[in-house]
Structure formats: C-alpha cells, structure tokens
Amino acid sequence: MGEADDITVMVAALRGKFGAASVLTGEDAQAQAHGWSDFGTPLAVVRPRSTAETAEMLLAFTEKGVPIVPWGGKTGLVGGGSATGAVAISFDRMAVVEMIDSVDRIMLVEAGCTVQAASEAAEAKGMFFPLDLGSGGSATIGGVVSTNAGGLRVLRFGMMREQVLGLEVVLADGSIVSALHPLMKNNTGYDIKQLFIGAEGTLGVVTRAMLRLRPALPSRSTALLGLNSFAHVATLLVELERRLGGMLSTYELMWAETYRMATSPPSRPRPILPNGYGYYVLVEAMGGDQDADRERFEAALAEIMESGIIADAVVAQSEREADDMWSVRHDGELTELAPFVAVDVSLRVSVIAEYVDTLRAEIEALWPGSRTALVGHIGDGNIHVVVSLEKDDTADRRKAISEAVMNCTARFQGSISAEHGIGLDKRNYLSMSRSAAEIEVMRAIKRALDPRNLMNPGKVLPPVPGKVCA
Amino acid sequence: MGEADDITVMVAALRGKFGAASVLTGEDAQAQAHGWSDFGTPLAVVRPRSTAETAEMLLAFTEKGVPIVPWGGKTGLVGGGSATGAVAISFDRMAVVEMIDSVDRIMLVEAGCTVQAASEAAEAKGMFFPLDLGSGGSATIGGVVSTNAGGLRVLRFGMMREQVLGLEVVLADGSIVSALHPLMKNNTGYDIKQLFIGAEGTLGVVTRAMLRLRPALPSRSTALLGLNSFAHVATLLVELERRLGGMLSTYELMWAETYRMATSPPSRPRPILPNGYGYYVLVEAMGGDQDADRERFEAALAEIMESGIIADAVVAQSEREADDMWSVRHDGELTELAPFVAVDVSLRVSVIAEYVDTLRAEIEALWPGSRTALVGHIGDGNIHVVVSLEKDDTADRRKAISEAVMNCTARFQGSISAEHGIGLDKRNYLSMSRSAAEIEVMRAIKRALDPRNLMNPGKVLPPVPGKVCA
C-alpha cells in the first residue's frame, strides 16, 4: 500500500469517528492553505474539537510516519506553516475562551482563539491582555505562543512568553502534556513550557494556554514627537521610562523617509507633524486615571522639550486623534513601497544609527534606486526593514535583498529575527544569530522530544549536511 | 587505581596548571561547605577564574565520571548545592561586572558576582537591576539564574528569568555554550537559555549572564495598610495596579498573628499600625519624581480608603520610616518562632483564604500548640509558611510538618515551590505540582543534555524506582 492509500485509509477512519467535517482533503484542504504567506500543499487538514481529538488525530498520522504542521491564523511571514507533504492541524474548531478569573488574573484559552477575541473577552471582565499585533484579528493564541509574538507593547508588558503561565501540548507520540498552571511563580523543576513557546510547532502542538491578565488600564495618552538625532531617540526613551514611572507602553520610531511616505498623498492629505525632522516617535502611556495620567504625560514631555531632546510634539486630544497617529505608524511600512521585501531584525540601541547608515549604503550600492523604509518597536531594539522591489522582480532578487539585510544585521551582532521567527525562510541563516554550540543544544532538544522528526519538520533548524532529516 | 587516587591525581594536575589556590581539598574544602543550609562533603572545591578554566576543570572530572555541583552564595534552602560525593565549583574568583551600558540597558556579569554588587554597579551608572532578595548580599548571579529567584518586586519586574537576556553555560562534556545575547527580542530558534534558568545546575553550569537593566527609579513611596478581610486584600491589589498605572512594585502581606509577633517586644517596642486588623499589607511604588509620585500614591490610597477596602493606613514620610516598615516585614518570618520549618508555596489568590484556614486547622490538629506564621509576596500568590518547632524536635517531625504543608498546597492546586526550587529536599514531592507527563519531558531534556547524569545529580528530578541514576 502506497502513502497516498495510507492517507486515504486514515482519513476515512478519522471521518468515521469524528465526522465528515473533521478532515478536509483535495481542493477543500487546498482552499485552507492561504494566508499572509504560502502554506504549501497539505496532504489533508484535520480539525479537532478538543485536546483529546488533537492527540488521537495527530497520532493516527505520526505513527505511520506522516509529518504534522500546526496552523493558527496563517499570518506567519517566514514559511513556518508550510504544510507540503504533511497533514495540517487547523484549530478553527478550538477557539473558546474557557475561563477568565479577575481575582486570579488569568484566562484559559483554546489554541484557535484569535488574539483579538481573547483581548475582547478579557476586556469584558474588566481585565487586560496586553499583546497587541497588527495581525491580532487573525493570529491565534496557539500561533502567538508558538512564535513568541511581540508587537506594540513589549516594552512594558513583554512578549507573548511573559503572558503565558501554563500550556497544554501534544507531543509526536500522541501524549498530552497538560501543564495549565495558573500560577505566577512555580519553580518546580524545568520550566518546560518555555521550550514550546517560540518553537514554531517543531517540538509539539499547543492546544490550550493559561494566560496572565492585568487589570484594565482605561487611560491612554498618545503623542507624536519629532526629534533631530538618533542619540536623542535613545535618551528620550530612558527619560520617559523614568518620568512616567512604568506607564510607558509604546515607543515606536519612524525614520524621516518612512514618515514622509506615510503622511503624504495618497496615504493622507497632510502630515500631523511637519516633515523635516530626522526621526518621528509615537509614544503611548497607559494608566488608570485619564486626567491625572494625561497631566503627568504632558508634564513629562514639556520638561524633556526644555532640554532640547524633543524638537516638536503633538499630544492627541481625543481617541480619534490618537487613532489617527497610530494610522500613520501602521501605514509606515506598506502603502507606497509595495511590492517589497520586509525583514524583521533587532539590534542594540547603541548601534542602530550606524547600522542604518551602513545598511542604506549597502542596499543603494547593490540595488541603486530601490527605496528603503524603516520603522521599529525601538524601545525593544526591533526594526522592520522594508526595501522596495520592481513589479517584475524575481524571487532571486527578493532573496538577495533579504540576505543583504541579514548579513548587515549579523555584522552588528543583531538578531535576524526579532519577532517573526525562523520558519523555513530563515533556517539556513540561523547561524548568523546563533553559535554552533547553541544550535547543537537545539538539535539535542529536538531529538529528545521529536526523535522521528515529524513535528513541523524542516522548520527552524537548518538541515544537517548529508542528512535527510534534521 | 581507586576513585580517591583518581581525584588526587586530577587535583595535582589542576593545581599544577592553574595554581595551588585553584583546588581546595580536605578541611579547606569542607570549610567552604557551609551556608544557609547543608552543603555536604565535597570531594574537592575548584575555583576557576574564567569560563575556559571552568570548562577545563569540569571536564577533568566529568570525563572520569565524577559529578559536579555548582556553588553560588550558598543561600539555598532546599539542598540544591549539597556536594557529597561530587566536586563543587565555586565561583568566588569569577565575580566581576564586566560591562554596563546605559543606552543598551544591559549588564554583563560573571556568575560569582553577588546580587547586591550587581545592583550597586548598575546604580552607579544611573541604572536599576530590580531583583531584590533578603539574601542579596550573598546570593550570586549564577545562583539566582539557576534557581530563577523571585523576591520582593516580582509583581512589577518579574522573576530572575525576566532579567536574563543571555547566558553562558558549560555542559557536562566541557563544551561552552556562549549565548550572551544583549537583545530584548531574539526569536531565532529555541530560547535555550530558558532551560538553564531554574534548572538548579542539573543541565549545565552558568558562568556568565547578560542582564536587562532599567532606568533608575529614584522615587519610593511606601505605606503600611490594615485590612479586615482577605477579599479586600485581593481587591486592593487590582485597585492599586490600576490607579498607580504601573508604579506598584511591591505588595507584601502579613497575617495578623505574624504582624503581632513582628511588632511586639523583643522585635520592637510598639507596632506601627495598631494590632487588631486581620491583614497587614506593605505597599511600595517606584517612579521617577518623588513629589508627583508621592501625591499620586497618597491620592490613590485616600480614594480606596473611602470605599472601605482599606481600614487603616500610614504612609512613610521619610526613607527612615520606609525602612522601618520594611524591617517589620523582614522580621515577620523569623525572630519569635525559631526553630521553625519554612515552606515556600504559591497559590491562586482566590483560594488563599480557604487554604490558610485549612492549613492552620490541619497543623493544629497534628501538632497542637505549634505556631504558624504566614507572610507572602501576595501580589504573586506566593506565601512563606513558617511553623514553629520545639528545640529538641527531630528531623522526622520537621519532615512531617513540611509534608503536611505541601500536601495541603497540592490539594489547592498550588505549587510546592514558588521561588526556592526543588533541590534535594523536595524532589520526591515534585509530582505534587507536576504531572507524570511533565516529569517525563523533564527527564527527556536531562538525558539529552546530561546523558551520564553528572551535573548536580540527584537534584530536582525524583529518582527513578529501581534505577541508580535519574
């Protein structure tokens, strides 16, 4: 019996047990394989309704040597969910917020619940789930756990890793590791959940998560600032953190060219702050008392302006004005440059100015006339580098630009993936940001938990030369 | 050649290469084996001056099958550093703060540097390292990484895990894994440092750490509050977090009996707040502007008092008064009850009131007349349970009391170790807080990184029945 027959038999058996809608094949499966990037050609898509079903469906395939790829909201950008030759597990039927407790400040959520749905459920109970991503309407909890997503408030609240108290995962052998601890402190043995966070599904499949919540922070103070030097950008961050005493939640930077693009027609009729400054920072603080917080926020900005660190500033006077400032930041990456290559990197703040000069010069030398836009979660040293392509540019050129950005980043001891992960697209560059000894430890862990290399195989770790599997 | 001869040969070789002071044996070694708990009878104590020396010394022993136990400040309370039958590695000659950068907000520190020395070095550069432990004058960075220490400001700044950006470790085979990344965001493959944080030296030996710093927060607002119900304790936490907008750094609870002990002679002549309330909370907020922060802090307390949640309050009017309030908290555990058994547990806040009633009743039933004091980092659900012993009480009684506390904790789905770790003393109780599936994953990781079980063997993981090694 060939592999295709094998799959047909397994699919029939699972449909018999779990219902026709539980397994998609052929065109129905392929119709699901679209998202923010390519999701390949899956052998089948299974749709469990519980952790037990996930384990049973997964084992049905892995015991025959068929690999498994978990799918969340399919917003990944590095090929981490590409399921060619594998069975995809979709969590679209496991999207329930099972429990929210505002005394214990926790939330128990199924893997397929979107970030937005989880946030709204928390908000309805007077609580706050801080992860804030552009993709939050689609990205799922299982996905943001598996990629350790970042976003716009990492500076204050940390990445997804810091929001996870406990996890439930299914391993390659079908065993369920249920570690849904609701505790902030739990030093009982190895903190194994940390392994699965950011592993992109290569060690196991996340089915549920116990998340940490915070009390609602109803006040929001937002400002757009113009600065003249990168040194001021770095100093301002420290000054604001000190003066706002923990309220600072967002510190986003746009370089001048990016700001110009995001505020000129057709993006919008005119800029909020005039063009001409070297750097534009979007700052947001969150707290519990709108009037007192606003007063404190404005006083901090006014004091810092006196020192000359801030050249120009406008404070949002309403939610509408704040949203308008955010729309500039969100437009900053995309509108004018498409099609483009985007690379997500991070660096020490102290080297960013020199890095950017070097990078621009290298890109200009190799691809004269291409345009480079830079925006960043600069409070975290995270920059999204966006380089324009021509309409008919080849995949080779796309790859060459991406490699040039990563090469430059590595020379400045940066990370070639700050928040998007490694997936398929960056696995061959992993050694730019990790030493051979680190990669050896990763391989040892992979072998320990997935000895047959069936969990999202080929992702994250570079292929071993001369070996078929990782 | 017997093992003793083997050791003698290795010691002579290491002394020849690294100097006489690099290896202690006999009485000199034993003289080092004292700390806050028992550190056993080491075969020898080696004292490397660098990571390279650590790797070479370690391998000299592990390649002959001699186990290794890392020693930090020897403030551990669960037998994690007991070195009987093993060679101890002392980091007393690796205690340097190698680098502090206030723009990148990072600090590179050797494992033997004390928490206090690291904090003071950060402070001298206008920065802040938030870990605050009673043992900070002795506890080392390597130790607090290996135990994922907590302390008094976890609520705002997280445990040690959240302060670590990168680590350097030596594995059992002598290989050096240098992953001293200075980046806040780095999603390039498995976050392997997370494995070594809290592993108590059972997977590798930490030699250096890259730590995250924050800007200095020079303002401190401190208050002692009296409350009448545990429900108010839980509500007050949420209210303060919301109103102080991120400034709240400490939320410590003393139960009435504990407070009475800590504020009566001989501890001090009179209490700060009168006795008679059910609960006493020590609150601290940190920020950048003493006057504005104090005003905000007092306004928040005044508003909450109007709602009746706080029954009585006193705000410290000077550093001296704040220190005095802290001395009550620090005395809360110790003075009057010694000798005692102390157990460090954590629970969901919502069950703590019932847990405490149940626990007190069980202790009273089993050991009538014993006294139980409770203090806690209640913002994190972390309680230190202290039960008095008689002077001539046996180790068996000590063990029985400790087991009773852990048993009760497990019934309330709590953690039997919130911040002290598992070590030797709690390894047989690990299954109270971790499922069999979780412990299996831990064993798989242990086998992957330390296949010969030579790194702090016998700690953390319970012995496998019928097997000599883990």
Side-chain angles (χ1 to χ4, degrees):
Chain A
M1 195 166 76
E3 189 184 75
D5 295 330
D6 248 5
I7 297 284
T8 307
V9 171
M10 287 184 265
V11 165
L14 291 176
R15 281 191 176 142
K17 181 151 186 187
F18 299 111
S22 66
V23 190
L24 307 177
T25 54
E27 283 177 17
D28 294 339
Q30 198 54 47
Q32 302 295 314
H34 301 291
W36 289 25
S37 60
D38 181 30
F39 285 76
T41 311
L43 300 174
V45 178
V46 298
R47 303 170 62 223
R49 284 165 299 196
S50 67
T51 300
E53 284 191 15
T54 305
E56 197 169 336
M57 290 176 169
L58 179 148
L59 183 61
F61 294 102
T62 57
E63 68 182 359
K64 303 283 186 187
V66 178
I68 293 292
V69 177
W71 278 357
K74 287 173 276 193
T75 58
L77 295 172
V78 292
S82 180
T84 301
V87 169
I89 302 189
S90 167
F91 289 94
D92 62 318
R93 297 203 292 179
M94 288 179 66
V96 172
V97 175
E98 295 186 11
M99 178 271 289
I100 295 179
D101 190 309
S102 56
V103 175
D104 296 333
R105 305 185 289 162
I106 53 175
M107 169 163 69
L108 178 61
V109 189
E110 287 187 316
C113 180
T114 64
V115 170
Q116 188 179 321
S119 298
E120 287 171 1
E123 201 180 333
K125 297 276 178 125
M127 302 302 286
F128 174 55
F129 177 64
L131 198 78
D132 185 22
L133 306 169
S135 59
S138 304
T140 61
I141 294 297
V144 295
V145 168
S146 297
T147 55
N148 186 30
L152 298 158
R153 297 183 190 130
V154 171
L155 178 66
R156 173 160 169 194
F157 300 106
M159 298 180 77
M160 187 59 189
R161 188 179 298 282
E162 280 78 56
Q163 323 310 326
V164 179
L165 299 174
L167 282 185
E168 184 175 72
V169 296
V170 176
L171 303 183
D173 63 3
S175 60
I176 296 169
V177 183
S178 199
L180 293 166
H181 305 288
L183 306 166
M184 274 194 47
K185 282 167 128 175
N186 186 15
N187 275 347
T188 50
Y190 310 152
D191 193 357
I192 57 171
K193 71 172 177 285
Q194 304 292 351
L195 271 183
F196 299 97
I197 299 171
E200 305 184 32
T202 62
L203 299 177
V205 172
V206 173
T207 51
R208 291 194 291 170
M210 184 71 80
L211 304 176
R212 176 184 179 186
L213 298 178
R214 328 267 170 153
L217 292 168
S219 101
R220 180 162 78 129
S221 305
T222 312
L224 185 64
L225 314 173
L227 287 80
N228 284 320
S229 81
F230 193 86
H232 285 164
V233 173
T235 310
L236 175 61
L237 172 61
V238 173
E239 288 296 319
L240 282 173
E241 282 205 301
R242 186 173 290 150
R243 284 164 204 266
L244 296 179
M247 282 205 306
L248 184 68
S249 49
T250 294
Y251 191 83
E252 297 280 313
L253 178 63
M254 285 169 279
W255 273 256
E257 165 74 355
T258 316
Y259 180 77
R260 196 199 53 71
M261 280 189 242
T263 56
S264 306
S267 288
R268 53 187 300 138
R270 70 190 67 81
I272 296 175
L273 279 180
N275 282 293
Y277 301 109
Y279 303 88
Y280 294 81
V281 175
L282 179 69
V283 172
E284 196 161 89
M286 299 179 76
D289 179 333
Q290 186 68 65
D291 293 340
D293 293 344
R294 169 66 57 82
E295 198 177 303
R296 188 185 184 90
F297 184 75
E298 292 185 350
L301 291 178
E303 281 170 36
I304 300 171
M305 272 190 96
E306 279 176 30
S307 71
I309 293 171
I310 301 172
D312 201 352
V314 54
V315 176
Q317 298 302 318
S318 66
E319 283 288 307
R320 204 191 53 75
E321 286 187 18
D323 291 344
D324 194 38
M325 289 177 184
W326 272 105
S327 75
V328 173
R329 164 63 183 82
H330 288 309
D331 274 4
E333 299 188 36
L334 302 176
T335 25
E336 195 171 319
L337 291 186
F340 56 75
V341 176
V343 191
D344 156 53
V345 303
S346 78
L347 296 126
R348 284 166 291 151
V349 172
S350 63
V351 303
I352 287 179
E354 192 190 341
Y355 166 80
V356 169
D357 289 346
T358 308
L359 181 68
R360 280 191 191 281
E362 289 179 6
I363 299 272
E364 178 60 27
L366 288 166
W367 297 280
S370 69
R371 293 166 68 188
T372 303
L374 297 149
V375 292
H377 314 304
I378 212 73
D380 323 317
N382 184 183
I383 303 175
H384 298 310
V385 179
V386 181
V387 182
S388 67
L389 292 169
E390 300 301 318
K391 285 255 180 303
D392 52 356
D393 269 341
T394 59
D396 279 353
R397 175 159 170 164
R398 183 179 280 271
K399 188 178 166 198
I401 293 173
S402 175
E403 280 185 9
V405 175
M406 289 191 281
N407 257 316
C408 184
T409 306
R411 273 182 281 124
F412 283 85
Q413 287 91 47
S415 167
I416 60 161
S417 182
E419 54 181 16
H420 293 175
I422 294 296
L424 205 55
D425 298 354
K426 290 185 175 176
R427 64 177 186 166
N428 290 325
Y429 309 104
L430 188 64
S431 62
M432 287 182 173
S433 288
R434 296 287 188 184
S435 67
E438 288 176 87
I439 294 172
E440 264 321 297
V441 172
M442 293 181 203
R443 287 196 198 284
I445 291 162
K446 172 75 172 170
R447 283 191 299 268
L449 295 185
D450 179 24
R452 296 169 66 207
N453 192 28
L454 294 171
M455 305 307 282
N456 208 2
K459 315 296 165 59
V460 180
L461 290 165
V464 179
K467 259 190 147 181
V468 176
C469 64
Chain B
M1 196 165 75
E3 188 185 76
D5 295 329
D6 248 4
I7 297 284
T8 308
V9 171
M10 286 184 265
V11 164
L14 291 175
R15 280 189 176 144
K17 180 151 187 188
F18 298 111
S22 67
V23 190
L24 307 177
T25 55
E27 283 179 16
D28 293 339
Q30 198 53 47
Q32 302 294 315
H34 301 292
W36 290 24
S37 61
D38 181 29
F39 285 75
T41 310
L43 300 173
V45 178
V46 298
R47 304 170 62 224
R49 285 164 298 195
S50 68
T51 300
E53 283 191 17
T54 305
E56 196 169 337
M57 289 175 167
L58 179 147
L59 183 61
F61 294 102
T62 56
E63 68 182 359
K64 302 283 186 189
V66 178
I68 293 292
V69 178
W71 277 357
K74 285 175 277 192
T75 58
L77 295 171
V78 292
S82 179
T84 301
V87 168
I89 302 189
S90 166
F91 288 95
D92 62 318
R93 297 204 293 181
M94 287 178 67
V96 173
V97 176
E98 295 186 12
M99 179 270 289
I100 295 179
D101 190 310
S102 55
V103 174
D104 295 333
R105 306 185 288 163
I106 53 176
M107 169 162 71
L108 178 61
V109 189
E110 287 187 316
C113 179
T114 65
V115 170
Q116 188 180 319
S119 298
E120 287 171 0
E123 202 180 333
K125 297 274 178 128
M127 301 303 287
F128 174 56
F129 176 65
L131 199 78
D132 185 23
L133 307 168
S135 60
S138 304
T140 62
I141 294 297
V144 294
V145 168
S146 297
T147 55
N148 186 28
L152 298 158
R153 298 182 189 130
V154 170
L155 178 64
R156 174 161 168 192
F157 301 104
M159 299 182 75
M160 188 58 189
R161 186 179 301 281
E162 279 80 55
Q163 321 312 324
V164 179
L165 298 174
L167 281 185
E168 185 175 71
V169 297
V170 176
L171 303 183
D173 63 3
S175 61
I176 297 170
V177 183
S178 199
L180 293 166
H181 303 289
L183 305 166
M184 274 196 45
K185 283 168 128 174
N186 186 15
N187 275 348
T188 50
Y190 310 152
D191 193 358
I192 57 172
K193 69 172 180 286
Q194 304 293 351
L195 271 183
F196 299 97
I197 300 170
E200 305 185 33
T202 61
L203 299 177
V205 172
V206 174
T207 52
R208 293 195 290 170
M210 185 71 79
L211 304 177
R212 177 184 178 186
L213 298 178
R214 329 266 171 154
L217 293 169
S219 102
R220 180 161 77 131
S221 304
T222 313
L224 185 65
L225 314 173
L227 285 81
N228 283 320
S229 81
F230 192 85
H232 285 165
V233 173
T235 309
L236 175 60
L237 172 61
V238 173
E239 288 296 319
L240 282 173
E241 281 205 300
R242 186 172 292 151
R243 283 164 204 266
L244 296 179
M247 284 207 303
L248 184 67
S249 50
T250 295
Y251 192 82
E252 297 281 314
L253 178 64
M254 286 169 279
W255 273 256
E257 166 75 354
T258 315
Y259 180 78
R260 195 200 53 69
M261 280 189 240
T263 56
S264 306
S267 288
R268 53 187 299 136
R270 71 190 66 82
I272 297 175
L273 280 180
N275 283 294
Y277 301 109
Y279 302 88
Y280 293 81
V281 174
L282 179 70
V283 173
E284 198 161 87
M286 300 178 75
D289 179 332
Q290 187 68 67
D291 292 340
D293 293 344
R294 170 65 57 80
E295 200 177 301
R296 188 185 183 90
F297 185 74
E298 291 184 352
L301 292 178
E303 281 170 36
I304 300 170
M305 272 190 95
E306 278 176 31
S307 71
I309 292 171
I310 301 172
D312 201 353
V314 55
V315 176
Q317 297 301 318
S318 65
E319 283 288 307
R320 204 191 54 71
E321 285 186 20
D323 291 343
D324 194 40
M325 289 178 184
W326 272 105
S327 75
V328 173
R329 165 62 183 82
H330 288 309
D331 274 5
E333 299 187 36
L334 302 174
T335 25
E336 194 171 320
L337 291 186
F340 56 75
V341 176
V343 190
D344 156 53
V345 303
S346 78
L347 296 127
R348 284 167 291 152
V349 172
S350 62
V351 303
I352 287 179
E354 192 189 341
Y355 165 80
V356 168
D357 289 347
T358 308
L359 180 68
R360 280 191 191 281
E362 289 180 6
I363 299 271
E364 178 61 26
L366 288 165
W367 298 279
S370 68
R371 294 165 69 187
T372 302
L374 296 150
V375 292
H377 314 305
I378 212 72
D380 324 316
N382 183 185
I383 304 175
H384 298 310
V385 179
V386 180
V387 183
S388 67
L389 293 169
E390 299 300 320
K391 285 256 179 302
D392 52 356
D393 268 342
T394 60
D396 279 354
R397 175 157 170 166
R398 183 179 279 270
K399 187 178 165 196
I401 292 173
S402 175
E403 280 184 7
V405 175
M406 288 191 282
N407 258 316
C408 184
T409 306
R411 272 183 282 123
F412 283 85
Q413 288 91 46
S415 167
I416 60 162
S417 181
E419 51 181 18
H420 292 176
I422 295 295
L424 205 55
D425 298 356
K426 290 185 175 176
R427 64 177 185 166
N428 289 326
Y429 310 104
L430 188 63
S431 62
M432 287 181 172
S433 289
R434 297 286 188 184
S435 68
E438 289 177 86
I439 294 172
E440 264 320 298
V441 173
M442 293 183 202
R443 288 196 198 283
I445 292 162
K446 172 74 172 172
R447 283 191 300 267
L449 296 185
D450 179 25
R452 296 168 68 209
N453 192 28
L454 294 171
M455 305 307 282
N456 208 2
K459 315 296 164 57
V460 180
L461 290 165
V464 179
K467 261 191 147 180
V468 176
C469 64

